[in-house]
Amino acid sequence: MSDDIVIVGAGHSKFGKRKGKGIRELAFEAVQDLMSDFNKGLDDIDASVIGIAGEEFSGQGAPAAVIVDEIGMVGKPTLRVESACATGTAGIKAAYGWIKAGFYDSVMVVGVEKMTAVSSVRATELMARAGDVRWESPFGVSFPGYYALMASAHMAEYGTTREMLSSVGVKNHFYGAKNPLAHIQKEVSLEEAMNSIPIAYPLNLYDCSLISDGAAAVVLTKESIAKEFTDTPIRIRGVGSGSDAMMMSERKSLTSLAGAQSAAQKAYKMAGITPDQVDVAEVHDCFTIAEIIATEDLGFFEPGQGGQAVLDQQTYIGGKVPVNVDGGLKSKGHPLGATGVSQAVELRKQLLGEAKKRQVDGAEIGLSHNVGQSGQFVNVLVYSR
Amino acid sequence: MSDDIVIVGAGHSKFGKRKGKGIRELAFEAVQDLMSDFNKGLDDIDASVIGIAGEEFSGQGAPAAVIVDEIGMVGKPTLRVESACATGTAGIKAAYGWIKAGFYDSVMVVGVEKMTAVSSVRATELMARAGDVRWESPFGVSFPGYYALMASAHMAEYGTTREMLSSVGVKNHFYGAKNPLAHIQKEVSLEEAMNSIPIAYPLNLYDCSLISDGAAAVVLTKESIAKEFTDTPIRIRGVGSGSDAMMMSERKSLTSLAGAQSAAQKAYKMAGITPDQVDVAEVHDCFTIAEIIATEDLGFFEPGQGGQAVLDQQTYIGGKVPVNVDGGLKSKGHPLGATGVSQAVELRKQLLGEAKKRQVDGAEIGLSHNVGQSGQFVNVLVYSR
């Protein structure tokens, strides 16, 4: 009766400042990586879902069709989904629905973004449009500002410190240095992180994720036919989504994301697991404070304890729950539309024991937490072998 | 076992140049109209899918969240879908999948676009970005140009005439004059249409759809619980999608859309019907030639006969198959993201016998044909009581 949806293929481009590579070439690179370890051809995949957050970065309107053309799926039905920085997981969720609806047996999900064709100031301005352009961004706030508000509130309410924030960056760079696909493969000392230039108080440069180019791709199908595609399918065990008020000023709390909490509850319930069963987590560390709040919203730590947990290395491999051991958005990079799909690609590697220097031994359950805007779009997915 | 997906509520804003109304207010207007005839409250709807084609028209990035906030569904999961001008039906298809996946029992789909905040030249330029911005639009082609190529080819191959093209506009204005929600509620004579200013040869002003503001909304749920929402659910009987090469120069034919043909075949098969069973059709008449080609691709008429059919009034009420009797994109208007949802709203009225002056007597099966770009995104949906 129940026919689980599974991932039967995955690919990932190098993330970084990819000069000369546009959305087409980045998507192609991810799909080529996927095909290198896939029993079937592109002709055997019925449709695609393309995740791209912002069309202004590339200047291509309705960009799904040019991607489909480039990756070699001409003539196959497609659409673009967009949920700001949660676009990638929105794509996986849409494809899941299409398969369950019986429209297709297999769907390719490609998440991609080209962000460095414009300056980083322009990129920040374009991202700021995802805030409320009537009531928020005209008054000067951009995304570092939204998360700075959350950081200040978290510090005031729980005594979270600058050292705790910087420690998230240190951890993610520690692991990013072990990921050959990461944008910045370089360790950072706590001192360096703490003394980096201020961006939006209390957030410094090393509290902010990277403006990156990149793409990631997965193929979804039904468990009943998965063996045609691969011997090692990964099951999507839980899917939960949440949202919250558009304006920060209308939120009940600035120290947690209500949408992440409800998304997590739904995903855990669907998967039939509790937070302590998660072996490895990819969370949306667009800013260091976001990772701390994520580990609390997901139930890994009590509210207010996420900062201390990273100081105590509880989110390192060997700790309570390894978090972002691919480098996260902070060090691996954050090409907006690619991020949620990249999380799936990384978790698949972990669950298959293919994560090499950053492998969490014996990982059986992986969780992905992907946030758009300042919490208006949240998708939490649970994966297992 | 089979639990059909049904439409249990529908609403529609006035289409037109809606001064002072942005995407929020337009969406609100459509949802208010929906709620005026709905047994339940917004709290009883689990999630939403927002269809907006271009973020540059409104300047709002990641626009789904502001819409959800404005219509009163704060905190409910949402995402944006985009398939250029086929965005509205892409939203219905995504919501269909979400319900079939078991994520939600009921989903609101809102399609909306605010196009007249910018000049019509700017709007045409923004739409042109949906062509290939690397290989097509830089050389000067915009959407009237793509469809002018199709019109020229159709004239050369089948002897289609300017009079046939203009007759589509005459018909659609004839019916638009009977639709109080239409952008232009004014009949146009064949002489006026034929003598209107050239836009892109052979297309004149009256061959081109309108640049409009507007929104439309539907609520989808499962047939098994439909009675909680309404006594008159409309079933989604068939869903088919197709695509084609990005570049016109790579198409096998310019006189038909391969994606529309395959989408129609899938939709008919799923619905278990043949083209001659369609009682009323909404087709994507972004240009008059597009309607002629649509009626051929959908199997209503033989290839090359669509032009003669409109001359013979076969697509009027009383003819073989009434097409766009709400005025179509030509007269009702074409707010990009709203159009596919508007088609669903109109067909629901027809199937419920509520279309007043433009009612097709006894209509039992309705078809919607929604095209994005120049055929890269095509969705065909079949509805019945």
Side-chain angles (χ1 to χ4, degrees), chain B residues 25 35 45 62 73 92 114 127 129 141 171 180-181 187 231 258 280 282 291 301 319 358 363:
Chain B
E25 292 78 16
M35 297 309 292
I45 303 168
M73 290 186 69
I92 294 172
K114 172 70 183 181
M127 285 186 276
R129 295 187 190 185
V141 67
K171 171 180 69 69
L181 298 173
E187 292 187 27
D231 296 329
V280 55
E282 289 275 296
E291 177 169 317
F301 306 108
R358 57 190 192 281

PDB file of all heavy atoms in Angstrom, chain B residues 25 35 45 62 73 92 114 127 129 141 171 180-181 187 231 258 280 282 291 301 319 358 363:
ATOM      1  N   GLU B  25      -3.362  43.326  -2.458  1.00  0.00           N
ATOM      2  CA  GLU B  25      -4.772  43.718  -2.502  1.00  0.00           C
ATOM      3  C   GLU B  25      -5.536  42.915  -3.552  1.00  0.00           C
ATOM      4  O   GLU B  25      -6.701  42.567  -3.357  1.00  0.00           O
ATOM      5  CB  GLU B  25      -4.891  45.217  -2.799  1.00  0.00           C
ATOM      6  CG  GLU B  25      -4.389  46.131  -1.681  1.00  0.00           C
ATOM      7  CD  GLU B  25      -2.869  46.251  -1.620  1.00  0.00           C
ATOM      8  OE1 GLU B  25      -2.192  45.876  -2.602  1.00  0.00           O
ATOM      9  OE2 GLU B  25      -2.352  46.721  -0.580  1.00  0.00           O
ATOM     10  N   MET B  35     -14.396  33.511  -0.329  1.00  0.00           N
ATOM     11  CA  MET B  35     -14.967  33.261   0.998  1.00  0.00           C
ATOM     12  C   MET B  35     -16.452  33.601   1.061  1.00  0.00           C
ATOM     13  O   MET B  35     -17.169  33.102   1.939  1.00  0.00           O
ATOM     14  CB  MET B  35     -14.204  34.073   2.055  1.00  0.00           C
ATOM     15  CG  MET B  35     -12.732  33.706   2.203  1.00  0.00           C
ATOM     16  SD  MET B  35     -12.397  31.939   2.433  1.00  0.00           S
ATOM     17  CE  MET B  35     -13.112  31.674   4.058  1.00  0.00           C
ATOM     18  N   ILE B  45      -8.361  25.749   6.087  1.00  0.00           N
ATOM     19  CA  ILE B  45      -7.546  25.416   4.915  1.00  0.00           C
ATOM     20  C   ILE B  45      -6.104  25.261   5.395  1.00  0.00           C
ATOM     21  O   ILE B  45      -5.581  26.110   6.111  1.00  0.00           O
ATOM     22  CB  ILE B  45      -7.660  26.517   3.839  1.00  0.00           C
ATOM     23  CG1 ILE B  45      -9.143  26.695   3.460  1.00  0.00           C
ATOM     24  CG2 ILE B  45      -6.821  26.172   2.616  1.00  0.00           C
ATOM     25  CD1 ILE B  45      -9.415  27.926   2.624  1.00  0.00           C
ATOM     26  N   ALA B  62      10.504  36.759  -3.338  1.00  0.00           N
ATOM     27  CA  ALA B  62       9.865  35.677  -2.586  1.00  0.00           C
ATOM     28  C   ALA B  62       8.455  36.082  -2.156  1.00  0.00           C
ATOM     29  O   ALA B  62       8.133  36.129  -0.969  1.00  0.00           O
ATOM     30  CB  ALA B  62      10.722  35.290  -1.386  1.00  0.00           C
ATOM     31  N   MET B  73      -3.745  33.914   5.959  1.00  0.00           N
ATOM     32  CA  MET B  73      -3.330  32.528   6.218  1.00  0.00           C
ATOM     33  C   MET B  73      -1.936  32.481   6.852  1.00  0.00           C
ATOM     34  O   MET B  73      -1.157  31.557   6.613  1.00  0.00           O
ATOM     35  CB  MET B  73      -3.391  31.712   4.918  1.00  0.00           C
ATOM     36  CG  MET B  73      -4.830  31.481   4.458  1.00  0.00           C
ATOM     37  SD  MET B  73      -4.952  30.389   3.017  1.00  0.00           S
ATOM     38  CE  MET B  73      -4.460  28.802   3.730  1.00  0.00           C
ATOM     39  N   ILE B  92      -2.089  24.830  -9.399  1.00  0.00           N
ATOM     40  CA  ILE B  92      -3.133  23.826  -9.154  1.00  0.00           C
ATOM     41  C   ILE B  92      -2.527  22.425  -9.144  1.00  0.00           C
ATOM     42  O   ILE B  92      -2.839  21.597  -8.297  1.00  0.00           O
ATOM     43  CB  ILE B  92      -4.249  23.953 -10.222  1.00  0.00           C
ATOM     44  CG1 ILE B  92      -4.974  25.303 -10.051  1.00  0.00           C
ATOM     45  CG2 ILE B  92      -5.221  22.780 -10.144  1.00  0.00           C
ATOM     46  CD1 ILE B  92      -5.972  25.625 -11.161  1.00  0.00           C
ATOM     47  N   LYS B 114       0.586  41.789 -10.768  1.00  0.00           N
ATOM     48  CA  LYS B 114       0.409  43.234 -10.888  1.00  0.00           C
ATOM     49  C   LYS B 114       1.334  43.673 -11.997  1.00  0.00           C
ATOM     50  O   LYS B 114       2.562  43.673 -11.829  1.00  0.00           O
ATOM     51  CB  LYS B 114       0.793  43.919  -9.583  1.00  0.00           C
ATOM     52  CG  LYS B 114       0.840  45.444  -9.648  1.00  0.00           C
ATOM     53  CD  LYS B 114      -0.548  46.032  -9.779  1.00  0.00           C
ATOM     54  CE  LYS B 114      -0.524  47.546  -9.926  1.00  0.00           C
ATOM     55  NZ  LYS B 114      -1.904  48.078 -10.030  1.00  0.00           N
ATOM     56  N   MET B 127       8.673  40.642 -19.709  1.00  0.00           N
ATOM     57  CA  MET B 127       8.192  39.354 -20.216  1.00  0.00           C
ATOM     58  C   MET B 127       9.199  38.740 -21.186  1.00  0.00           C
ATOM     59  O   MET B 127       9.367  37.526 -21.224  1.00  0.00           O
ATOM     60  CB  MET B 127       6.823  39.520 -20.865  1.00  0.00           C
ATOM     61  CG  MET B 127       5.717  39.695 -19.838  1.00  0.00           C
ATOM     62  SD  MET B 127       4.069  39.709 -20.569  1.00  0.00           S
ATOM     63  CE  MET B 127       3.944  41.427 -21.047  1.00  0.00           C
ATOM     64  N   ARG B 129      12.223  38.631 -20.967  1.00  0.00           N
ATOM     65  CA  ARG B 129      13.255  37.885 -20.240  1.00  0.00           C
ATOM     66  C   ARG B 129      12.925  36.409 -20.102  1.00  0.00           C
ATOM     67  O   ARG B 129      13.797  35.618 -19.762  1.00  0.00           O
ATOM     68  CB  ARG B 129      13.408  38.445 -18.829  1.00  0.00           C
ATOM     69  CG  ARG B 129      13.919  39.846 -18.782  1.00  0.00           C
ATOM     70  CD  ARG B 129      14.177  40.182 -17.348  1.00  0.00           C
ATOM     71  NE  ARG B 129      14.462  41.588 -17.170  1.00  0.00           N
ATOM     72  CZ  ARG B 129      14.810  42.113 -15.998  1.00  0.00           C
ATOM     73  NH1 ARG B 129      14.905  41.339 -14.941  1.00  0.00           N
ATOM     74  NH2 ARG B 129      15.052  43.387 -15.899  1.00  0.00           N
ATOM     75  N   VAL B 141      14.068  39.786 -30.030  1.00  0.00           N
ATOM     76  CA  VAL B 141      12.746  39.175 -30.071  1.00  0.00           C
ATOM     77  C   VAL B 141      12.077  39.270 -28.691  1.00  0.00           C
ATOM     78  O   VAL B 141      12.722  39.112 -27.655  1.00  0.00           O
ATOM     79  CB  VAL B 141      12.814  37.710 -30.559  1.00  0.00           C
ATOM     80  CG1 VAL B 141      13.539  36.836 -29.561  1.00  0.00           C
ATOM     81  CG2 VAL B 141      11.442  37.149 -30.876  1.00  0.00           C
ATOM     82  N   LYS B 171     -14.295  37.529 -31.568  1.00  0.00           N
ATOM     83  CA  LYS B 171     -15.051  36.594 -30.705  1.00  0.00           C
ATOM     84  C   LYS B 171     -14.755  36.856 -29.232  1.00  0.00           C
ATOM     85  O   LYS B 171     -15.672  36.935 -28.408  1.00  0.00           O
ATOM     86  CB  LYS B 171     -14.694  35.141 -31.039  1.00  0.00           C
ATOM     87  CG  LYS B 171     -15.274  34.144 -30.021  1.00  0.00           C
ATOM     88  CD  LYS B 171     -14.940  32.699 -30.343  1.00  0.00           C
ATOM     89  CE  LYS B 171     -13.482  32.345 -30.161  1.00  0.00           C
ATOM     90  NZ  LYS B 171     -13.025  32.342 -28.749  1.00  0.00           N
ATOM     91  N   PRO B 180     -18.382  40.742 -16.420  1.00  0.00           N
ATOM     92  CA  PRO B 180     -18.163  41.928 -15.590  1.00  0.00           C
ATOM     93  C   PRO B 180     -16.774  41.979 -14.939  1.00  0.00           C
ATOM     94  O   PRO B 180     -16.381  43.032 -14.445  1.00  0.00           O
ATOM     95  CB  PRO B 180     -19.253  41.823 -14.517  1.00  0.00           C
ATOM     96  CG  PRO B 180     -19.696  40.401 -14.519  1.00  0.00           C
ATOM     97  CD  PRO B 180     -19.474  39.889 -15.910  1.00  0.00           C
ATOM     98  N   LEU B 181     -16.042  40.879 -14.966  1.00  0.00           N
ATOM     99  CA  LEU B 181     -14.690  40.881 -14.387  1.00  0.00           C
ATOM    100  C   LEU B 181     -13.608  41.127 -15.440  1.00  0.00           C
ATOM    101  O   LEU B 181     -12.426  41.218 -15.111  1.00  0.00           O
ATOM    102  CB  LEU B 181     -14.420  39.541 -13.682  1.00  0.00           C
ATOM    103  CG  LEU B 181     -15.345  39.232 -12.509  1.00  0.00           C
ATOM    104  CD1 LEU B 181     -15.105  37.809 -12.002  1.00  0.00           C
ATOM    105  CD2 LEU B 181     -15.154  40.231 -11.370  1.00  0.00           C
ATOM    106  N   GLU B 187     -17.149  45.277 -27.274  1.00  0.00           N
ATOM    107  CA  GLU B 187     -17.076  44.528 -28.534  1.00  0.00           C
ATOM    108  C   GLU B 187     -16.203  45.274 -29.538  1.00  0.00           C
ATOM    109  O   GLU B 187     -16.062  46.483 -29.469  1.00  0.00           O
ATOM    110  CB  GLU B 187     -18.479  44.310 -29.105  1.00  0.00           C
ATOM    111  CG  GLU B 187     -19.308  43.365 -28.238  1.00  0.00           C
ATOM    112  CD  GLU B 187     -20.640  42.999 -28.863  1.00  0.00           C
ATOM    113  OE1 GLU B 187     -20.740  43.025 -30.112  1.00  0.00           O
ATOM    114  OE2 GLU B 187     -21.577  42.694 -28.111  1.00  0.00           O
ATOM    115  N   ASP B 231     -21.522  22.178  -1.365  1.00  0.00           N
ATOM    116  CA  ASP B 231     -22.423  21.163  -1.919  1.00  0.00           C
ATOM    117  C   ASP B 231     -22.156  20.922  -3.394  1.00  0.00           C
ATOM    118  O   ASP B 231     -22.734  20.014  -3.992  1.00  0.00           O
ATOM    119  CB  ASP B 231     -23.880  21.620  -1.738  1.00  0.00           C
ATOM    120  CG  ASP B 231     -24.240  21.716  -0.254  1.00  0.00           C
ATOM    121  OD1 ASP B 231     -23.682  20.938   0.539  1.00  0.00           O
ATOM    122  OD2 ASP B 231     -25.052  22.596   0.092  1.00  0.00           O
ATOM    123  N   ALA B 258       4.291  21.176 -29.554  1.00  0.00           N
ATOM    124  CA  ALA B 258       4.419  19.753 -29.208  1.00  0.00           C
ATOM    125  C   ALA B 258       4.048  19.520 -27.747  1.00  0.00           C
ATOM    126  O   ALA B 258       3.436  18.502 -27.391  1.00  0.00           O
ATOM    127  CB  ALA B 258       5.850  19.280 -29.474  1.00  0.00           C
ATOM    128  N   VAL B 280     -16.840  22.933 -23.034  1.00  0.00           N
ATOM    129  CA  VAL B 280     -16.420  24.332 -22.984  1.00  0.00           C
ATOM    130  C   VAL B 280     -14.920  24.351 -22.686  1.00  0.00           C
ATOM    131  O   VAL B 280     -14.442  23.582 -21.858  1.00  0.00           O
ATOM    132  CB  VAL B 280     -17.237  25.125 -21.933  1.00  0.00           C
ATOM    133  CG1 VAL B 280     -17.176  24.476 -20.548  1.00  0.00           C
ATOM    134  CG2 VAL B 280     -16.801  26.578 -21.853  1.00  0.00           C
ATOM    135  N   GLU B 282     -11.268  26.707 -22.071  1.00  0.00           N
ATOM    136  CA  GLU B 282     -10.507  27.923 -21.849  1.00  0.00           C
ATOM    137  C   GLU B 282      -9.119  27.644 -22.410  1.00  0.00           C
ATOM    138  O   GLU B 282      -8.418  26.754 -21.911  1.00  0.00           O
ATOM    139  CB  GLU B 282     -10.392  28.188 -20.342  1.00  0.00           C
ATOM    140  CG  GLU B 282     -11.670  28.625 -19.676  1.00  0.00           C
ATOM    141  CD  GLU B 282     -11.832  30.121 -19.823  1.00  0.00           C
ATOM    142  OE1 GLU B 282     -11.011  30.870 -19.282  1.00  0.00           O
ATOM    143  OE2 GLU B 282     -12.778  30.537 -20.512  1.00  0.00           O
ATOM    144  N   GLU B 291      -4.615  30.872 -30.010  1.00  0.00           N
ATOM    145  CA  GLU B 291      -5.913  30.199 -29.836  1.00  0.00           C
ATOM    146  C   GLU B 291      -6.191  29.252 -31.000  1.00  0.00           C
ATOM    147  O   GLU B 291      -6.669  28.139 -30.804  1.00  0.00           O
ATOM    148  CB  GLU B 291      -7.058  31.216 -29.696  1.00  0.00           C
ATOM    149  CG  GLU B 291      -8.409  30.532 -29.589  1.00  0.00           C
ATOM    150  CD  GLU B 291      -9.563  31.448 -29.180  1.00  0.00           C
ATOM    151  OE1 GLU B 291      -9.374  32.284 -28.267  1.00  0.00           O
ATOM    152  OE2 GLU B 291     -10.657  31.313 -29.750  1.00  0.00           O
ATOM    153  N   PHE B 301     -10.061  20.563 -33.726  1.00  0.00           N
ATOM    154  CA  PHE B 301     -10.079  20.688 -35.186  1.00  0.00           C
ATOM    155  C   PHE B 301      -8.802  20.079 -35.754  1.00  0.00           C
ATOM    156  O   PHE B 301      -7.787  19.978 -35.062  1.00  0.00           O
ATOM    157  CB  PHE B 301     -10.181  22.166 -35.605  1.00  0.00           C
ATOM    158  CG  PHE B 301     -11.352  22.863 -34.972  1.00  0.00           C
ATOM    159  CD1 PHE B 301     -11.148  23.799 -33.958  1.00  0.00           C
ATOM    160  CD2 PHE B 301     -12.655  22.561 -35.350  1.00  0.00           C
ATOM    161  CE1 PHE B 301     -12.228  24.425 -33.348  1.00  0.00           C
ATOM    162  CE2 PHE B 301     -13.746  23.190 -34.738  1.00  0.00           C
ATOM    163  CZ  PHE B 301     -13.527  24.130 -33.736  1.00  0.00           C
ATOM    164  N   GLY B 319     -21.550  26.553 -31.279  1.00  0.00           N
ATOM    165  CA  GLY B 319     -20.676  25.900 -32.255  1.00  0.00           C
ATOM    166  C   GLY B 319     -20.170  24.571 -31.713  1.00  0.00           C
ATOM    167  O   GLY B 319     -20.645  24.075 -30.689  1.00  0.00           O
ATOM    168  N   ARG B 358     -22.906  34.339 -20.539  1.00  0.00           N
ATOM    169  CA  ARG B 358     -21.984  33.584 -21.380  1.00  0.00           C
ATOM    170  C   ARG B 358     -22.055  32.080 -21.068  1.00  0.00           C
ATOM    171  O   ARG B 358     -21.147  31.311 -21.409  1.00  0.00           O
ATOM    172  CB  ARG B 358     -20.555  34.119 -21.213  1.00  0.00           C
ATOM    173  CG  ARG B 358     -20.044  34.108 -19.813  1.00  0.00           C
ATOM    174  CD  ARG B 358     -18.731  34.861 -19.662  1.00  0.00           C
ATOM    175  NE  ARG B 358     -18.125  34.580 -18.362  1.00  0.00           N
ATOM    176  CZ  ARG B 358     -18.494  35.136 -17.217  1.00  0.00           C
ATOM    177  NH1 ARG B 358     -19.460  36.004 -17.169  1.00  0.00           N
ATOM    178  NH2 ARG B 358     -17.878  34.804 -16.091  1.00  0.00           N
ATOM    179  N   ALA B 363     -23.224  22.453 -19.784  1.00  0.00           N
ATOM    180  CA  ALA B 363     -21.805  22.080 -19.850  1.00  0.00           C
ATOM    181  C   ALA B 363     -21.463  21.107 -18.720  1.00  0.00           C
ATOM    182  O   ALA B 363     -21.718  21.398 -17.549  1.00  0.00           O
ATOM    183  CB  ALA B 363     -20.927  23.327 -19.757  1.00  0.00           C
TER     184      ALA B 363
END
